[in-house]
Amino acid sequence: MTALARILEWPADEAEDTLHGGLWDASSLERAMKGTASADFVVTGVEIDSRDVQPGDLFFALKGEAMDGHRFVEMAFAKGAVACVVDRPVAGPHVLVKDTMEALERLGAASRARARGPIIGVTGSVGKTGVKEMLFDGLERATRGDAHRSVKSYNNHVGVPLSLARMPARARYGVFEMGMNHAGEIAALTRQVRPNVAVITTIAPAHIENLGSEEAIADAKAEIFQGLERGGTAVIPADNPHFERLRKAALRCGAHVVSFGRSAHASVRLLDTVDAIGGGSLVTVDMGDRRVCYSVAAPGEHQVINSLAVMAAVRAVGGDLGAAGVALAEMGGLAGRGARLEIVVPGGEPDAAGQRRALLIDESYNANPASMRATLAQLGRTGAKRRIAVLGAMKELGTHGPGYHAALIEPIREAGVDYLVLVGDEMTPLARELENGVEPGENAAKSLGKPAAFAHCANVGEALDRVRAFGLESGDAILVKGSNSVGLASLVSELNKQEG
């Protein structure tokens, strides 16, 4: 059978749907969670936030430090929940358990136990959500909808069991993201996911405030190998300085190691990449016994390297490389993680259609030193009349923060930024570096011989005012990037609805 036929043909070995489209019934929930159901019912989804409940959902009334989900049971039923998981009787169908968080973990474990296909776990300092989405798109395309993944960034002690609990019994593949702030967290998550393939995208100084060093970060990420199923595969970055550390950690867990990158020793090795018409890259990869050519729609060398990890993982689970290549060619950036938006702006010359448009690059969800450099480098390669960067503070860097922020002056200069807006107190060391590089009375940085004006703002509202005062014009490229807590997503939203 050809690769195209496999992509187009509906899987022949579909699992029997004993629940007629449902996800869990009352009896299976009782067994999985060791609880007592008040009635017979079938649920089609699982939710922990009453605001997001959809008709057919099972609502978990979780208890946190400041909030008790039992307060929202009535709201969940009003929004269409079929039943709730509670630790006290309520009016309406429910499953009574001793502890609702423990029950969610039990349900996640039951879902993992009934899985009929391989599971991929993904972690890393940068790119894990993007790689997870790339993997899902490729596997879903090959199976015509029988792949499952954790949505958004549900990668913590609540998000992982919730994502597992949502996995349909028919799923032929599962892809789960795992994140951490401290050592030991991924070890707990990976033992729930029990991946057949564990991917580490890269190691960079994210969360270094809590872990102290990049070596400690590498060790914390390498905990993902502890949950690997017997005979599992570890997919690791060959070009990373901590490659050998990761490789040894994987081998200690009995993993088969597959590496990816530019290095000569990489199992999945990048041979060539050229810019594609309309953006993105054309990629040629050596996979040992074959060469594979495909396109990556998302621009940037970091996206090319991420695609190598995707191809390595797809092959490790016996997936369809052709379908994965098609998905990579069609998948653009995610909201907050590289989405490229065409926005209407007030200034400049109109195009042939009479519109004034600029490119808005939305990287507002996260930032660390490695991702900042990669994204600024891509901005520098982006054709534009002017390049504007709105950079928010990088969080969780601790005592390393001032040095990492100040060091951004180099990639900013290399990118040829014309106007720079810095947001947050943590950006003060960079602002000082920029001020030291100009003549007295000027507020500009010497960027490859071309001064780039800059502003240092305390908050997002002030940053938006500065961008608007600068005046966006047709042909501009605007990069917005910072840690999520800075709140730059609201600035993206405001610019995206701006009218010329």
Side-chain angles (χ1 to χ4, degrees):
M1 183 182 293
T2 67
L4 179 60
R6 286 196 299 271
I7 295 171
L8 296 177
E9 182 179 286
W10 191 274
D13 58 339
E14 292 184 75
E16 182 181 356
D17 185 3
T18 58
L19 296 181
H20 306 289
L23 184 64
W24 299 97
D25 61 16
S27 61
S28 61
L29 290 170
E30 280 187 320
R31 292 193 300 271
M33 299 188 295
K34 299 187 182 302
T36 303
S38 67
D40 290 330
F41 52 82
V42 175
V43 301
T44 55
V46 180
E47 188 52 72
I48 60 173
D49 189 330
S50 60
R51 295 168 296 184
D52 296 331
V53 166
Q54 298 294 319
D57 278 351
L58 173 71
F59 172 67
F60 272 81
L62 301 181
K63 291 192 290 187
E65 293 181 3
M67 196 66 66
D68 186 347
H70 291 81
R71 292 172 51 190
F72 305 101
V73 166
E74 186 175 340
M75 180 189 296
F77 279 127
K79 296 196 72 173
V82 170
C84 295
V85 179
V86 292
D87 63 14
R88 68 204 72 163
V90 297
H94 62 270
V95 181
L96 185 63
V97 299
K98 183 177 180 180
D99 182 282
T100 54
M101 185 63 223
E102 181 182 292
L104 179 60
E105 292 174 351
R106 288 181 180 276
L107 188 59
S111 182
R112 177 63 183 91
R114 74 179 183 181
R116 69 188 184 111
I119 302 295
I120 302 174
V122 182
T123 192
S125 301
V126 184
K128 53 185 176 291
T129 300
V131 166
K132 179 255 297 180
E133 291 295 326
M134 289 177 181
L135 282 165
F136 170 74
D137 274 15
L139 296 170
E140 184 185 44
R141 179 178 292 271
T143 61
R144 295 291 295 273
D146 275 352
H148 173 78
R149 95 299 205 179
S150 48
V151 299
K152 301 179 183 177
S153 289
Y154 283 8
N155 60 18
N156 63 7
H157 69 287
V158 176
V160 167
L162 173 63
S163 298
L164 283 166
R166 289 172 167 175
M167 182 165 57
R170 70 174 189 276
R172 299 176 67 193
Y173 297 100
V175 188
F176 297 91
E177 179 181 338
M178 287 171 260
M180 61 88 190
N181 292 313
H182 297 83
E185 291 177 342
I186 286 181
L189 299 177
T190 190
R191 290 191 174 99
Q192 295 179 56
V193 174
R194 291 164 42 210
N196 302 96
V197 175
V199 180
I200 294 182
T201 59
T202 192
I203 302 299
H207 311 301
I208 198 168
E209 177 182 19
N210 299 324
L211 291 159
S213 68
E214 283 196 25
E215 290 77 12
I217 294 170
D219 291 341
K221 297 296 185 183
E223 292 172 10
I224 193 172
F225 305 138
Q226 296 175 19
L228 270 173
E229 291 286 90
R230 186 172 181 177
T233 299
V235 177
I236 61 176
D239 305 329
N240 194 270
H242 306 288
F243 164 76
E244 192 60 28
R245 195 179 193 95
L246 297 175
R247 188 184 73 86
K248 289 179 179 178
L251 292 175
R252 284 195 296 270
C253 294
H256 169 63
V257 176
V258 174
S259 60
F260 64 92
R262 291 182 173 273
S263 299
H265 64 82
S267 312
V268 177
R269 182 164 64 95
L270 180 63
L271 296 178
D272 187 40
T273 177
V274 295
D275 292 341
I277 297 174
S281 306
L282 301 174
V283 180
T284 304
V285 176
D286 182 357
M287 302 192 75
D289 62 342
R290 70 185 72 177
R291 289 189 176 185
V292 178
C293 299
Y294 57 90
S295 297
V296 179
E301 182 174 346
H302 59 296
Q303 299 290 7
V304 171
I305 299 301
N306 285 344
S307 78
L308 304 183
V310 171
M311 287 300 198
V314 168
R315 191 176 196 191
V317 295
D320 191 317
L321 294 176
V326 172
L328 289 168
E330 295 180 350
M331 182 180 174
L334 305 172
R337 294 183 171 89
R340 297 166 80 85
L341 310 171
E342 192 176 73
I343 63 172
V344 177
V345 293
E349 294 296 323
D351 58 22
Q355 296 289 326
R356 296 180 177 88
R357 298 185 177 96
L359 173 66
L360 176 60
I361 305 170
D362 179 12
E363 289 273 2
S364 60
Y365 186 80
N366 206 356
N368 61 52
S371 65
M372 276 285 199
R373 284 182 172 272
T375 309
L376 284 165
Q378 183 56 36
L379 176 64
R381 291 191 291 269
T382 300
K385 178 182 176 182
R386 301 180 303 180
R387 297 183 182 92
I388 300 149
V390 181
L391 305 181
M394 300 180 290
K395 301 294 186 178
E396 297 186 29
L397 296 177
T399 57
H400 304 269
Y404 281 125
H405 283 88
L408 291 178
I409 191 169
E410 178 187 345
I412 289 169
R413 285 173 172 168
E414 291 175 350
V417 173
D418 294 282
Y419 186 60
L420 177 67
V421 178
L422 309 177
V423 187
D425 290 341
E426 293 92 337
M427 282 292 183
T428 300
L430 175 56
R432 288 173 180 161
E433 288 291 318
L434 293 166
E435 289 168 353
N436 291 336
V438 300
E439 296 298 325
E442 291 183 350
N443 190 27
K446 292 181 178 177
S447 175
L448 300 179
K450 179 178 64 175
F454 81 95
H456 185 196
C457 305
N459 54 58
V460 174
E462 184 181 341
L464 180 61
D465 290 341
R466 291 300 187 105
V467 171
R468 285 175 168 163
F470 176 71
L472 298 180
E473 296 183 357
S474 183
D476 287 345
I478 309 104
L479 167 66
V480 180
K481 185 168 182 65
S483 290
N484 191 40
S485 60
V486 178
L488 289 176
S490 63
L491 184 143
V492 170
S493 178
E494 287 297 318
L495 292 180
N496 195 25
K497 67 184 182 183
Q498 180 172 322
E499 297 181 0

